Amino acid sequence: MGIDFQQSAIHSPTNDPSAMMGGGVCWIDVNNDGWLDLYAINSYADRDVGYWQKHGGMPRNALFLNHKGTFTKASSSSGADLSMRGNGCVAADLNGDGFTDLYVSGYPYDAVLWNDGHGHFSEGARAAGITSFGWHTGVAVADVNGDGRPDIFVSGYSDPNGVIPGSESGFPNNYLGVRDLLYLNVGNDRSGHAKFEEVGKKLGIDTRDEHGLGAVFTDVNGDGRPDLYVANDANPNRLYVNLPAKDALGLRFEEAAATVGLADPNAGMGIAAGDYSGDGRPDIVVTNSHKQLHGVFRSNPPGGGFASYSDARSDIAPAFDTSLAGWGDSWVDLDNDGNLDLVIANGAIPVTGLKKSAEPVQAFENLTAHGHAGEFAAATDAVGLETAPQVNGRGLAAADFDNDGRVDLAVSSVGGELMLLHNTGAHGHWLEVALPRFAPGAVVTAVLPDGRRLVQELDAGSSYLSSEDPRAHFGLGKATTVEELRVRYPDGRGTRLSGLAADQVVTLG
């Protein structure tokens, strides 16, 4: 397909933690042509700097442009080929000009790539107020204060120079944590680029300086305000509920993971939010390290305005393999039967050898259509992944890159080639919905002829350090029409369409 990316974090044997944590992948429509392009994050270990300087230069991030299903590399010509110790990325229109920009996290600094709409990016983090140094990982974007401008959350991970004297804990708890950040968008400057103010601690985000990785904005209580869920490595996961406040900022975040049933204490890596149970509310999965059962949490009906979740690990636990270390994850309807399945990228940590530490990409089938509502079965072999290479999997991002209605997967691998998994086996009908503007938090509902409602909340930033297809995708099973399509935007406005034929990409005007 034209993708020839080599992730270079580990060239020679190393115990460099930053190198072993790997990086993410971002699906982004650079030129608004309706075909998703792919951005891949690169990195390098400290001990390999001399090697790279003698062999053509430091590793760089890469951009691949999509030409109706095949790709060409456009990294250097686009200006997006940053040389940095990268970790995560998110695709988002940060300044409201109609073109999707990129935020890239890393160590010891982050980058903002402004898209000029003509296939070129310019870096402008410091001018935008993104000045915090440290090791940053997961990135997610939403309008947290309802002012119509997208804001940015950035997970802080570990301080490689902050060894805790006398600690007998393993990594990362034997190192100081790095504070999570929340950047409020305060509007565009004269150049048309957005400016940001960091307010995380002021609003109650990460007051403990924990070790954050994956993150996602999702409305857990249905009040229309984006809440924030963060996977912490070896610290309990945190849920920050977005609440109104009578001050200048107009909001505050209240940490409530333990209260609502989401405080998984394991080594959290990636997060995916999606309605696998079919009740119209987002459920959550968190991948954990080896020998730890992944966290699966099913949303309950909110009572008195409060969210709550049930531990649903028993629905999938028989299919999980706890000998593997999970990273990127996504709820995705692989067979278009109308029920969300689950995919997970795995890879051992620490990386003791690129071949020795490689593990499989896994798929789990939602058995609702087979009469077992909410239960899952291992489906790796059934979908053909048993013949795919084992990889040191990290970032995973789902998207329909060839617009055929079947959702594909991009998977990054520490020290290895980027893998593109092309879905060729989905036989159900489908519908994809593209919104006219960037609107993370928008809720898209497809009502089928039998009355069933399929609901998807759009997000920017999820999985492990990655960014997925910005469109809503619905597998429709045997249904050949959608009776009604509803879109509720974060500002409360909505759109309704009726009588849509299946098997098409609908672009709302």
Side-chain angles (χ1 to χ4, degrees):
M1 291 297 186
I3 294 175
D4 59 349
F5 178 75
Q6 178 78 28
Q7 208 269 2
S8 304
I10 296 181
H11 169 72
S12 58
T14 180
N15 61 357
D16 187 318
S18 178
M20 288 189 284
M21 296 304 287
V25 284
C26 273
W27 290 103
I28 171 176
D29 188 353
V30 169
N31 53 7
N32 292 345
D33 65 354
W35 295 84
L36 291 176
D37 313 299
L38 185 60
Y39 190 66
I41 302 299
N42 217 333
S43 188
Y44 54 87
D46 270 344
R47 68 176 299 165
D48 292 333
V49 170
Y51 171 86
W52 295 117
Q53 289 175 338
K54 294 177 181 178
H55 293 82
M58 303 304 294
R60 292 181 174 274
N61 298 345
L63 176 67
F64 297 91
L65 296 181
N66 187 341
H67 303 279
K68 297 184 178 180
T70 59
F71 295 84
T72 58
K73 196 171 187 177
S75 306
S76 58
S77 62
S78 69
D81 60 336
L82 301 176
S83 177
M84 60 184 292
R85 301 190 73 183
N87 279 124
C89 58
V90 69
D93 181 6
L94 297 174
N95 59 346
D97 65 354
F99 297 104
T100 307
D101 312 299
L102 286 162
Y103 188 109
V104 184
S105 66
Y107 173 72
Y109 62 89
D110 298 348
V112 175
L113 291 171
W114 298 112
N115 183 352
D116 69 359
H118 302 288
H120 190 269
F121 292 83
S122 57
E123 203 289 312
R126 292 188 66 81
I130 309 297
T131 58
S132 297
F133 286 82
W135 185 354
H136 299 140
T137 50
V139 189
V141 172
D143 178 10
V144 300
N145 57 357
D147 65 358
R149 297 188 292 259
D151 311 300
I152 306 169
F153 170 81
V154 184
S155 294
Y157 188 48
S158 181
D159 181 356
N161 300 311
V163 179
I164 299 176
S167 174
E168 297 182 357
S169 301
F171 184 83
N173 278 350
N174 55 342
Y175 286 79
L176 296 173
V178 174
R179 186 169 62 85
D180 297 340
L181 306 172
L182 180 65
Y183 289 103
L184 282 188
N185 189 328
V186 297
N188 293 352
D189 60 19
R190 292 181 179 179
S191 68
H193 295 156
K195 299 275 289 184
F196 295 89
E197 176 187 0
E198 204 287 303
V199 295
K201 196 167 188 177
K202 186 184 300 184
L203 294 181
I205 298 291
D206 190 12
T207 58
R208 304 170 181 85
D209 292 358
E210 294 176 320
H211 303 86
L213 288 172
V216 68
F217 279 108
T218 182
D219 183 4
V220 299
N221 54 8
D223 66 355
R225 305 172 68 94
D227 309 301
L228 174 65
Y229 191 49
V230 181
N232 281 321
D233 185 359
N235 303 118
N237 298 338
R238 301 297 177 188
L239 173 69
Y240 299 101
V241 179
N242 187 337
L243 300 170
K246 296 179 180 179
D247 59 16
L249 295 177
L251 77 158
R252 62 184 176 89
F253 285 93
E254 182 177 299
E255 205 288 303
T259 302
V260 305
L262 288 175
D264 188 20
N266 293 305
M269 304 296 177
I271 296 178
D275 179 23
Y276 85 81
S277 61
D279 63 1
R281 296 182 298 272
D283 310 300
I284 294 175
V285 62
V286 181
T287 50
N288 289 319
S289 191
H290 67 285
K291 299 182 182 179
Q292 297 177 347
L293 190 61
H294 302 318
V296 184
F297 305 99
R298 186 176 60 247
S299 176
N300 299 320
F306 294 98
S308 70
Y309 286 81
S310 295
D311 190 324
R313 274 175 263 225
S314 60
D315 293 342
I316 311 182
F320 283 154
D321 182 350
T322 56
S323 70
L324 305 178
W327 301 83
D329 51 353
S330 184
W331 296 112
V332 54
D333 189 350
L334 290 175
D335 51 4
N336 284 343
D337 68 351
N339 301 290
L340 293 183
D341 309 301
L342 177 64
V343 289
I344 295 177
N346 299 291
I349 187 77
V351 179
T352 57
L354 294 182
K355 185 175 182 180
K356 181 180 179 181
S357 299
E359 295 180 346
V361 178
Q362 294 177 294
F364 304 90
E365 183 182 7
N366 188 329
L367 299 177
T368 298
H370 302 282
H372 301 278
E375 297 181 20
F376 287 75
T380 301
D381 292 352
V383 300
L385 284 173
E386 82 281 2
T387 61
Q390 294 202 1
V391 295
N392 296 284
R394 296 297 188 264
L396 177 150
D400 178 12
F401 79 84
D402 55 354
N403 290 342
D404 68 351
R406 296 177 289 209
V407 180
D408 315 293
L409 304 171
V411 182
S412 70
S413 176
V414 177
E417 296 180 347
L418 179 64
M419 184 162 62
L420 183 64
L421 297 170
H422 185 210
N423 186 339
T424 60
H427 299 297
H429 295 288
W430 55 275
L431 186 75
E432 287 175 1
V433 183
L435 302 189
R437 57 186 174 87
F438 180 62
V443 177
V444 186
T445 302
V447 182
L448 304 189
D450 63 2
R452 184 182 178 194
R453 296 186 310 121
L454 306 178
V455 181
Q456 184 175 346
E457 179 187 48
L458 301 184
D459 57 51
S462 61
S463 184
Y464 178 73
L465 317 185
S466 296
S467 192
E468 302 190 281
D469 197 326
R471 304 169 296 187
H473 171 272
F474 298 105
L476 304 179
K478 296 179 180 180
T480 58
T481 61
V482 170
E483 290 291 294
E484 186 176 46
L485 182 73
R486 307 170 189 160
V487 180
R488 189 190 73 216
Y489 290 95
D491 61 8
R493 290 182 293 178
T495 298
R496 292 173 182 251
L497 297 175
S498 300
L500 294 173
D503 304 329
Q504 63 168 320
V505 178
V506 175
T507 303
L508 301 181

